[in-house]
Amino acid sequence: MDDDSDEEFFNGTRRPSGMPASWQGRPLRSGRGWHWSDPDNPGNSVRLYRGDPESEDEAEQGPHVVVTADGLLIDDAGKPVPGSTPPDD
């Protein structure tokens, strides 16, 4: 996610491949991306962020994805992070 065509993902006009058709989308409250969630389990979600070059957190400066499963953050290896909480977007 790093070119102008990716804007469709951040504004919700394009559903990422593999995203279940039943999942519902809405803009992030921050206005910086899109939030997809499982209507049958709100603890399952995917957030797509444009990134914020002004962020103090280097990982949040560029486009990034945050995945949760059963309310836990999922790390880069696809494993749940015990005790984690999803971002308040």
Side-chain angles (χ1 to χ4, degrees):
M1 294 188 166
D2 58 8
D3 64 30
D4 292 337
S5 66
D6 293 334
E7 180 58 27
E8 295 174 339
F9 291 114
F10 300 124
N11 66 25
T13 58
R14 184 170 172 199
R15 182 181 293 265
S17 63
M19 182 67 59
S22 63
W23 282 34
Q24 301 167 343
R26 65 169 175 77
L28 294 172
R29 286 186 286 270
S30 66
R32 293 185 354 211
W34 202 258
H35 179 192
W36 293 99
S37 62
D38 179 350
D40 297 324
N41 182 347
N44 297 334
S45 69
V46 175
R47 292 170 177 86
L48 307 171
Y49 290 89
R50 284 183 185 88
D52 179 2
E54 304 295 319
S55 176
E56 292 181 17
D57 185 341
E58 193 172 318
E60 293 181 1
Q61 292 176 357
H64 57 283
V65 176
V66 174
V67 178
T68 60
D70 291 322
L72 294 176
L73 293 173
I74 302 301
D75 68 17
D76 292 342
K79 305 284 185 197
V81 178
S84 63
T85 57
D88 181 25
D89 58 274

